[in-house]
Amino acid sequence: MGFRDRGLEIKTPEQIDLMRVAGRLVGETLEIVRAAVRPGTTTGELDRLAEANIRDHGGVPSFMGYGVPPFPATICASVNDEVVHGIPGDRVLREGDVISVDCGAIVEGWHGDAAITVAVGEVAPEIAELMRVTEESLWRGMAAAHLGGRVTDISHAIETHVRGAGRYGILEDYTGHGIGSEMHMAPNVPNYGRKGRGPQLVQGMALAVEPMVTLGSKRTHLLEDDWTVATADGSFAAHFEHTFTLTDRGPWVLTAVDGGAERLAAMGVPYGGR
Ligand code: MG
Ligand code: MG
């Protein structure tokens, strides 16, 4: 895996403050979507709620028109064995499903990117546990980041938590990423690997961390829509993501509504937010 130390976008404190505005809007939008997830709802309805909230608050959905073929929606809605990049539409959510909702917004040119996985009604215990493990690994990853450390300190903490929790698959073909004036920037943030590698973690860096974990294989395939990534073995998957930065006090989770204060405190990690 290659890393480039050069070409990393270092943000000023004022630019980070704008990323916080975008990030908070993404976090609030995901909470609106979470509250709307229930049996009988379509993924398209969730998408319309997200787009309305982003635009009502002066943001622009960043996924819309992204890539080739152009992504046609505000959220990625990935159900059950779909891991990431599912296209919302007419699919009706059913009791026992699990849905990953990924959302990005731009405010004044600055990006926020985050994802949650939500149970539809009651899900099987092993799926609930998969979700818990995946979300916890995201927080462990961010908690492992400190100024002067390296990008793969995050990767290593994610992998260590997931491997310690059971026999799960961790996707390797998709990673977290730098973020700022664009959604996807250097460096990659893998969800596995040895610590102490990759670019140094410095003030003004912003990273989107996004573990993608399955109940089975780490192998995936692309569906015919050219976007949806599904597990090769049909096993269920979970995906959680936050955009965060480091201040001289600690991590600041730009896409968490509370900046990450509560979860970081629970882990005994100082909160770096303003
Ligand atoms: Mg995302
Ligand atoms: Mg992302």
Side-chain angles (χ1 to χ4, degrees):
M1 147 197 358
F3 284 106
R4 286 175 302 159
D5 256 304
R6 285 179 286 281
L8 298 186
E9 183 179 79
I10 303 304
K11 272 68 84 171
T12 65
E14 293 72 26
Q15 291 169 334
I16 292 290
D17 286 342
L18 288 172
M19 289 190 69
R20 172 60 172 149
V21 177
R24 192 196 299 263
L25 178 54
V26 169
E28 289 166 351
T29 301
L30 285 173
E31 288 313 312
I32 289 168
V33 172
R34 184 202 301 278
V37 169
R38 62 177 62 88
T41 303
T42 68
T43 54
E45 287 168 46
L46 301 178
D47 186 63
R48 285 188 283 281
L49 284 174
E51 179 173 4
N53 191 61
I54 289 171
R55 295 200 190 279
D56 284 353
H57 291 86
V60 175
S62 44
F63 299 176
M64 188 93 66
Y66 184 89
V68 182
F71 193 81
T74 292
I75 61 168
C76 297
S78 310
V79 180
N80 297 344
D81 61 316
E82 299 170 357
V83 192
V84 288
H85 303 167
I87 299 175
D90 295 335
R91 182 165 184 168
V92 179
L93 297 177
R94 297 182 311 179
E95 178 88 20
D97 283 347
V98 69
I99 178 173
S100 152
V101 180
D102 197 337
C103 182
I106 311 167
V107 175
E108 293 187 41
W110 295 93
H111 286 250
D113 183 12
I116 54 175
T117 298
V118 186
V120 183
E122 197 86 3
V123 298
E126 67 269 23
I127 298 168
E129 181 65 9
L130 167 72
M131 291 166 59
R132 262 194 302 276
V133 167
T134 307
E135 184 174 23
E136 179 68 18
S137 77
L138 164 61
W139 286 94
R140 298 283 182 107
M142 294 187 291
H146 58 89
L147 294 177
R150 297 275 172 178
V151 165
T152 68
D153 298 352
I154 300 165
S155 314
H156 183 72
I158 291 168
E159 179 175 22
T160 300
H161 181 72
V162 174
R163 300 268 179 250
R167 288 172 55 83
Y168 295 102
I170 301 176
L171 265 65
E172 296 178 1
D173 295 341
Y174 300 86
T175 69
H177 49 91
I179 181 169
S181 62
E182 294 174 41
M183 179 163 57
H184 293 129
M185 310 184 80
N188 287 340
V189 185
N191 294 307
Y192 67 98
R194 289 160 59 179
K195 57 183 164 187
R197 296 182 168 194
Q200 200 166 44
L201 299 169
V202 296
Q203 271 201 62
M205 208 182 215
L207 300 173
V209 181
E210 47 181 318
M212 291 154 261
V213 181
T214 82
L215 281 178
S217 168
K218 67 184 177 188
R219 289 185 305 110
T220 59
H221 66 101
L222 195 61
L223 301 193
E224 279 180 9
D225 61 21
D226 270 340
W227 273 106
T228 310
V229 176
T231 58
D233 60 3
S235 62
F236 276 35
H239 171 223
F240 287 85
E241 178 179 24
H242 272 304
T243 297
F244 89 109
T245 192
L246 287 168
T247 70
D248 52 9
R249 280 163 295 134
W252 183 12
V253 185
L254 300 172
T255 46
V257 175
D258 75 344
E262 191 180 323
R263 290 289 294 249
L264 292 169
M267 292 186 289
V269 175
Y271 170 59
R274 288 192 273 278

